[in-house]
Structures are given as C-alpha cells and as structure tokens.
Amino acid sequence: MTQSERNERQRLRPLPLLFEPSEAGADPEHFFDLESMDDPRELLARATELTQAFRAATDRSVEFQAMAAAQLADPRRFDRLTAADVAERAEWTEDYAKKMIEFGRSLLDASST
C-alpha cells in the first residue's frame, strides 16, 4: 500500500475525538495526553491522528454550517433570513455567507436525490 493510499484510508476513517476530562482541560499544558508521551514516534503518530481527526471534524462542521445557512435563507420559509442576517449570526462576512448558503443548497440538493 502506498503512502497516499494509507493517507486516504486514514482521512476516510478519522480517529474519534474524545472529550478531555474537565480537570485536564484546566491544565493549559494538557492536550489529549500528548505531553506525557516520551517516545517521539508515538507522539508523532498520535499527533498526526489527532490532526487528521480535527480536519475531518472541521470539514463536517463546515458542511453542517452550510446546510443550516441554506435552510435559514430558504425563500420558502416565512422567517427566512437574509445573507446579511446569516453572516451576523455566524460571524462571517456577507460574501462568505452567500457562498456558504449556495454550498449548503448544493449539499441539500445532493442529499435529496
């Protein structure tokens, strides 16, 4: 298996993100127990897994943001929001909100077929 095939498999099945205990979150030096790893190979592997998991989580979150934005801006809704309203709620620029609304519409259209 090539490196790119391994990377693709890892991208498709990211490491599940586990929430840290509240006590650990209070320690600014604590981050998913990485600071306690002495073996640099193990540290690199775990940090890479976390990076991939965070990227996958970010991608999915952005898709859900876009779908929500599209739903809120749907002209069929009686309480429809404008792109400016969506931008304000999400702390985006209006131009970015317009792009996210369109992206969300494409995702919603794809999921309905």
Side-chain angles (χ1 to χ4, degrees):
M1 178 180 295
T2 68
Q3 180 66 32
S4 64
E5 289 171 332
R6 277 192 297 276
N7 288 344
E8 183 63 20
R9 283 184 62 210
Q10 288 177 344
R11 188 184 72 76
L12 295 175
R13 290 185 294 162
L15 179 72
L17 293 176
L18 303 175
F19 292 97
E20 294 187 280
S22 58
E23 318 78 66
D27 180 1
E29 296 299 315
H30 183 82
F31 187 73
F32 288 90
D33 210 27
L34 294 178
E35 70 288 342
S36 68
M37 294 182 175
D38 295 326
D39 180 358
R41 288 177 194 88
E42 181 184 350
L43 177 60
L44 179 60
R46 179 66 177 143
T48 301
E49 288 173 344
L50 284 169
T51 298
Q52 291 169 343
F54 285 128
R55 285 181 184 151
T58 299
D59 291 346
R60 285 297 288 153
S61 294
V62 168
E63 289 174 357
F64 281 105
Q65 280 183 310
M67 289 187 291
Q71 290 170 336
L72 289 170
D74 187 336
R76 296 172 294 186
R77 289 177 61 111
F78 76 92
D79 59 347
R80 171 185 184 236
L81 297 181
T82 66
D85 294 330
V86 171
E88 184 179 336
R89 284 180 183 231
E91 298 180 8
W92 297 333
T93 65
E94 188 172 345
D95 286 339
Y96 186 74
K98 289 176 184 176
K99 290 176 184 178
M100 288 293 280
I101 291 166
E102 286 305 312
F103 178 48
R105 286 179 179 150
S106 70
L107 291 172
L108 292 168
D109 289 344
S111 70
S112 68
T113 57

